[in-house]
Amino acid sequence: MIYDYLIAPFVEFAFMRRALVGTLALALGAGPVGVFLMLRRMSLVGDAMAHAILPGAAIGFLVSGLSLFAMTAGGLIAGFVIALGAGVVARATELKEDASLAAFFLISLAVGVTIVSLKGTNIDLLHFLFGSVLALDDQTLLLIAGITTISVVVLALIYRPLVLECVDPGFLRSVSRAGGPAHIAFLALVVMNLVGGFHALGTLLAVGIMMLPAVIARFWARDVTAMILVAVASGAVSGYAGLLLSFHAGAPSGPAIILVAGVLYAFSVLFGRVGGVLRQLFPGRHLEA
Amino acid sequence: MSAALAFHDLTLGYDRHPAVHHLRGEVKAGALMAVVGPNGAGKSTLFKGIVGMLKPFSGGIDLCGLRARDIAYLPQVADIDRTFPISVYDMVAMGLWRDAGLFGGIGRREREKVRAAMSAVGLSGFEERPIGTLSGGQMQRTLFARLLLQDGRVIVLDEPFNAIDAKTAADLCDLVMRWHAEKRTVIAALHDLDLVKSMFPEALLLAREPVAWGATKDVLTVENLLKARRMCEAFDEHAEACAA
């Protein structure tokens, strides 16, 4: 009975297994990236970047249809251009980075949707916006796994400067020049993970598997390492449970995954050990010292 | 005695407005020097220049053979994100950066050093506490422990005794005197003139331009302080380009 509900779908259907592998890989790569985005107070930057990727992928789609390579390359290029462009505008003018990013991503979203609508069908547009996790082919899986591998390795390499730049940027600059390059490498990871997520979950939801687990982790852990572990775990649980939900209830799979993450988030807000609502309302008797 | 730092007609600032204007002179190796001046006098700016965070508009700073990593820097507490989830232990261990760098391991010897530094500032038992739960004084002790580990030849302290109680200030002053006894060069920005007079033999009075520099009792005169105040209030949005 339990087996039928929880395991059988993955045993019986290859597309479910592939979807599971894809989402687990995404959770492993995007979770830690999301944690750092949140700690750097850039939670909405992920959202903006996800939109920014759309026109790139759309141009790739225009040039060679639903080709993995073309759409990935387009998405990556667009993401990097926007990240760098927003950074340059922010440094060269009075505009702050968040405002210039907002300008850039709104324009790219409009361009992206226009391109897809003019040339493709509504189905294509849906694919772009919400992905198709149940139709991951070998190439796409390899791409996602590759992106995850790169991001775990790169994060390990830039971990110290990344943490230090959040806590005490003055100190980091006084001991090392690694802050700038680490920041750029980190932005590259954000773009890559969003492009990976785009194939499975679409541009709108890709950022969900990145940010929701990170925000959930904030309610359960007090230090960065534990936060990363909680984020990866909750991303993985959301992926697994979301796929089951979509299988049994016939819900669209991408949104189902993000919905499960949303439920976990709501639960964490209420019952989270670190600063959850219940904890704030009933902190327990105060301690002796 | 040889110099530890030399300022060659140094001008530092932001957006073309100088915050430190034509500073010349040198800091002797082993000096214990206070930098005083009103808010906005350029004390923090000078320090950021010394540690290489700010490029000079003109002139330069000669480290006199020291490498940038030999300078240990205490930023103002306000520049630190206290909400970041990091433990006191990890915060202190950052002081090992020079040895450990980006990837170096932290072995038993290093862990021992971190514990020793924490106990030297009276923070034993605080290892696992997140920095967000510390009081102002405890935070400053944490940063001093980190400085201890950095083992710098030159130690630059930006307002080290702001908003901390007398006991903490006294403990931290002891550390500063210990560094001085070890022949390290210590430069500190301070507002408490009585403390400067009692502890620092040398002082630099800054009001964007250097007002006076030398033995503390000659620098901190009433005329000099008044002059510094007047000079500091003269910011001109539409100033002409400096000819000097």
Side-chain angles (χ1 to χ4, degrees), chain A residues 36 39 41 156-158 160-161 163-164 166-178 218 222-224 227, chain B residues 51-53 68 73 75 79-81 83-86 91 94-95 97 100-104 106 130-131 143 146 150:
Chain A
F36 277 104
L39 292 177
R41 302 175 189 222
L157 292 179
I158 63 174
R160 282 182 191 169
V163 167
L164 247 173
C166 299
V167 197
D168 194 350
F171 177 78
L172 176 67
R173 259 172 286 164
S174 78
V175 293
S176 162
R177 308 234 167 278
R218 186 70 168 161
R222 282 188 196 278
D223 72 283
V224 189
M227 251 180 221
Chain B
V51 296
M53 283 165 64
Y73 169 56
D79 296 342
I80 293 169
D81 180 2
T83 63
F84 194 90
I86 187 172
M91 190 81 186
M94 285 174 192
W97 188 284
L102 286 177
F103 323 115
I106 308 260
I131 58 168
L143 296 177
R146 187 172 74 181
Q150 278 187 277

Side-chain angles (χ1 to χ4, degrees), chain B residues 9-33:
Chain B
D9 198 19
L10 175 70
T11 298
L12 292 159
Y14 311 92
D15 195 20
R16 292 183 65 208
H17 289 287
V20 173
H21 206 185
H22 299 303
L23 178 65
R24 299 182 187 86
E26 51 180 50
V27 183
K28 296 268 176 293
L32 177 55
M33 184 177 103

Side-chain angles (χ1 to χ4, degrees), chain B:
Chain B
M1 237 195 300
S2 65
L5 287 175
F7 306 119
H8 299 303
D9 198 19
L10 175 70
T11 298
L12 292 159
Y14 311 92
D15 195 20
R16 292 183 65 208
H17 289 287
V20 173
H21 206 185
H22 299 303
L23 178 65
R24 299 182 187 86
E26 51 180 50
V27 183
K28 296 268 176 293
L32 177 55
M33 184 177 103
V35 180
V36 286
N39 287 328
K43 303 183 294 293
S44 299
T45 308
L46 175 63
F47 289 0
K48 285 180 183 165
I50 292 175
V51 296
M53 283 165 64
L54 211 56
K55 273 215 175 68
F57 288 164
S58 65
I61 301 171
D62 188 354
L63 298 184
C64 303
L66 289 177
R67 288 158 304 173
R69 49 156 59 174
D70 294 320
I71 301 178
Y73 169 56
L74 175 83
Q76 280 189 29
V77 181
D79 296 342
I80 293 169
D81 180 2
R82 299 272 296 272
T83 63
F84 194 90
I86 187 172
S87 67
V88 172
Y89 182 92
D90 286 343
M91 190 81 186
V92 173
M94 285 174 192
L96 294 168
W97 188 284
R98 194 174 62 170
D99 306 319
L102 286 177
F103 323 115
I106 308 260
R108 188 191 302 167
R109 225 184 89 239
E110 284 79 15
R111 279 199 291 275
E112 210 36 64
K113 275 174 150 177
V114 176
R115 296 214 188 287
M118 289 189 64
S119 111
V121 297
L123 279 182
S124 296
F126 280 71
E127 284 81 359
E128 299 307 323
R129 288 269 294 268
I131 58 168
T133 65
L134 297 180
S135 71
Q138 289 163 342
M139 187 67 211
Q140 203 63 322
R141 285 171 190 269
T142 305
L143 296 177
F144 265 74
R146 187 172 74 181
L147 282 173
L148 277 173
L149 283 181
Q150 278 187 277
D151 193 27
R153 293 309 308 161
V154 175
I155 298 169
V156 182
L157 309 171
D158 200 350
E159 308 206 351
F161 307 132
N162 264 22
I164 56 178
D165 63 23
K167 169 82 170 80
T168 306
D171 287 354
L172 298 183
C173 279
D174 286 347
L175 282 177
V176 171
M177 294 319 284
R178 195 174 112 193
W179 287 326
H180 183 51
E182 290 167 356
K183 301 270 183 277
R184 300 176 200 269
T185 311
V186 180
I187 309 175
L190 294 168
H191 283 295
D192 181 349
L193 296 184
D194 292 324
L195 182 73
V196 173
K197 283 174 192 158
S198 67
M199 217 176 114
F200 290 78
E202 192 186 345
L204 162 64
L205 177 57
L206 206 59
R208 266 182 280 148
E209 324 222 344
V211 178
W213 188 353
T216 301
K217 61 175 175 10
D218 305 329
V219 170
L220 297 185
T221 60
V222 177
E223 306 89 83
N224 280 344
L225 290 171
L226 266 176
K227 193 174 159 202
R229 175 148 307 274
R230 273 199 307 275
M231 284 166 65
C232 228
E233 282 158 3
F235 176 85
D236 183 356
E237 178 65 41
H238 306 290
E240 299 287 322
C242 175

